[in-house]
Amino acid sequence: MSGTYVGMPAFPRAAAAATRDDRLRANLTHATRTIRDKRARAVAELDDWAQLRAAGAAVKDRTLRRLDHYLEQLEAAVIAAGGQVHWAADAEEANRIVTALVAETGEREVVKVKSMATQETGLNEALARAGIRAYETDLAELIVQLGGDLPSHILVPAIHRNRSEIRDIFRREMGRWGRPAPEGLSDSPAELAEAARLHLREKFLSAKVGISGANFMVAETGTLVVVESEGNGRMCLTLPETLISVVGIEKVVPTWQDLEIFLQLLPRSSTAERMNPYTSTWTGTVDGDGPRTFHLVLLDNGRTDTLADSVGRQALRCIRCSACLNVCPVYERAGGHAYGSPYPGPIGAILTPQLRGVQGALEASLPYASSLCGACYEVCPVAIDIPEVLVHLRERVVEGGPVTVRGTRTVLRPARGHAAERAAMRAAAWAFDHPGGLRRGMHLAARTRRLHPRRLPGPGRAWSRTRDLPAVPAESFRDWWQRTRGTSSEGSGRRDRAGGEGT
Ligand code: SF4
């Protein structure tokens, strides 16, 4: 694994390779089943979960409708509290701003709180190009970084690794990044956690610059919120002299009262806890307490384009709980790397093509990385109708219609399989429009049923390799109707329609 998502193959190819990896599948099955069972129990404790969910969705929709207003309110509040606000139109600009801010401090090392936004922008690689080393401090992110790997889950980025793999990574890599792993390190969770704690403590105590994301931003006071389980975030947010937070613009909520809803929805949906062990909030800077300088980098990077799509915009409600990943049968088999972005699973399938635009085969394949079973929608704490957005995005891919790529309009050519699907749909439309032709076709299909292949030829071969083609019955419904009722089903249908129109 390369440490970058750039140039990754389309989903079907990556997923085919992943499904052949028995160890990966075993790790994923065990982890996702454990988390989803715990989540179900935590959610069942609340009688008003449905109302909370509806309230969360409503607050997000209301905020997105007036996003410009709340962002300006947030900006004013952050500045009034002593912080500085920067606007980044895309990943490149965000990375440029952060790199310049770190360079200004003269530091060559930074500590990081787990952040999806900075994974999205590829900040660590950008900092490395400028000679600045970023240390991940979340335990799972540390495992991923030391292993030269990529995150494969929103909440548990190293979900694809088991304990013995983690022990081997610690033994092999920790010494190259700082304090080495203790002699004779075993794969017991307590020993692994202690090794990480000792290794990271050195970083916390020496770092002068911290970089974070945020789970929420409260517009009315300019407050940022990070929730976490390990306490590493609290260290990064309080010990360094300079704090830089890179946050997607959709993370704003108007008031503290709105925040209250999400602080109930998020922990039960993500870690199956009643509340997060650490909830850190900060507002600008305070003399003698915490970082002396605070920068907020507000990241667009395709979010405004997503907002312009009346169906797709609901993806911006996402609070990154990862519940949809843990119930997804496709994710459980394919794993997170197959999605080719920091956002795997069902949310990645709808978010990545919208944030990046449909630039190529990977983005065009993601809306198809789903069985449309709807389990993701059922568990989503902000009621994002992921299947609806998937179908909407498939429509755009098949139609080859205009697709927005960062403000420019481009035309996506449908892939070969999609062209075949479109031709099949046209043929079906013609048949249903010509009852005589449909009847003759059904008779012919019934008479030749023994000759029908069990597998499709050409581009349909791969599709039918894992599916049973439906057997054609010896007698069609129309013939059965005529034989048993003595009248044509076609004729009676026509009479019914004619009667309806007359009333
Ligand atoms: S789409 Fe819903 S379930 Fe999935 S990560 Fe986002 S908020 Fe959680």
Side-chain angles (χ1 to χ4, degrees), residues 223-228 231 233-235 237-238 278-282:
T223 303
L224 271 70
V225 184
V226 162
V227 295
E228 41 132 2
R234 179 73 55 85
M235 296 279 206
L237 298 168
T238 52
Y278 293 88
T279 300
S280 300
T281 67
W282 69 101

Side-chain angles (χ1 to χ4, degrees), residues 483-502:
R483 183 168 56 77
T484 56
R485 310 289 157 101
T487 167
S488 152
S489 62
E490 198 181 301
S492 72
R494 259 197 221 122
R495 273 197 302 279
D496 289 345
R497 276 208 304 280
E501 279 161 15

Side-chain angles (χ1 to χ4, degrees), residues 316-391:
L316 296 177
R317 285 188 211 145
C318 178
I319 55 174
R320 312 281 190 263
C321 70
S322 76
C324 57
L325 279 63
N326 301 328
V327 295
C328 178
V330 176
Y331 175 85
E332 188 179 321
R333 284 154 185 83
H337 293 149
Y339 294 80
S341 104
Y343 303 109
I347 182 60
I350 61 170
L351 199 56
T352 305
Q354 296 198 87
L355 291 183
R356 288 189 191 163
V358 184
Q359 300 175 357
L362 171 64
E363 293 82 11
S365 69
L366 286 175
Y368 294 87
S370 169
S371 64
L372 298 182
C373 70
C376 48
Y377 171 60
E378 294 293 321
V379 296
C380 177
V382 284
I384 299 172
D385 194 339
I386 294 176
E388 182 190 29
V389 182
L390 285 166
V391 172

Side-chain angles (χ1 to χ4, degrees), residues 31 60 126 132 158 169-170 177 186 188 251 293 317 348 378 381 393 407 415 425 430 437 452 454 465 486 490 494 499:
K60 282 284 182 180
I132 299 163
I169 290 171
F170 279 10
W177 291 75
S186 79
S188 90
K251 294 291 182 71
T293 311
R317 285 188 211 145
E378 294 293 321
L393 293 175
M425 287 300 150
W430 183 90
H452 293 177
R454 304 302 300 155
R465 195 179 300 138
E490 198 181 301
R494 259 197 221 122

Side-chain angles (χ1 to χ4, degrees), residues 215-288:
N215 294 95
F216 306 99
M217 305 182 286
V218 184
E220 66 179 350
T221 54
T223 303
L224 271 70
V225 184
V226 162
V227 295
E228 41 132 2
S229 300
E230 297 168 14
N232 66 298
R234 179 73 55 85
M235 296 279 206
C236 294
L237 298 168
T238 52
L239 293 177
E241 291 167 5
T242 299
L243 175 60
I244 304 167
S245 301
V246 183
V247 190
I249 53 176
E250 83 283 15
K251 294 291 182 71
V252 66
V253 294
T255 66
W256 281 82
Q257 204 168 4
D258 297 322
L259 177 67
E260 179 198 329
I261 299 166
F262 299 106
L263 291 185
Q264 296 176 72
L265 288 171
L266 182 53
R268 286 179 194 265
S269 301
S270 58
T271 50
E273 289 165 308
R274 292 175 183 142
M275 65 180 288
N276 291 97
Y278 293 88
T279 300
S280 300
T281 67
W282 69 101
T283 309
T285 55
V286 178
D287 282 342

Side-chain angles (χ1 to χ4, degrees), residues 109-120 122-125 127 133-147 149 151 157 170 174 177 196 199-201 203-204 211-213 230 232-233 236:
E109 295 185 342
V110 300
V111 285
K112 282 188 72 207
V113 188
K114 181 175 177 313
S115 148
M116 300 300 298
T118 59
Q119 278 172 23
E120 183 187 320
L123 178 63
N124 288 9
E125 294 73 32
L127 288 172
R133 204 166 198 194
Y135 296 108
E136 296 290 349
T137 64
D138 172 86
L139 177 56
E141 290 286 1
L142 174 71
I143 296 163
V144 166
Q145 185 175 49
L146 293 179
D149 205 348
F170 279 10
M174 267 184 169
W177 291 75
H199 178 81
L200 289 171
R201 184 137 302 221
K203 309 292 179 207
F204 293 135
I211 294 179
S212 82
E230 297 168 14
N232 66 298
C236 294

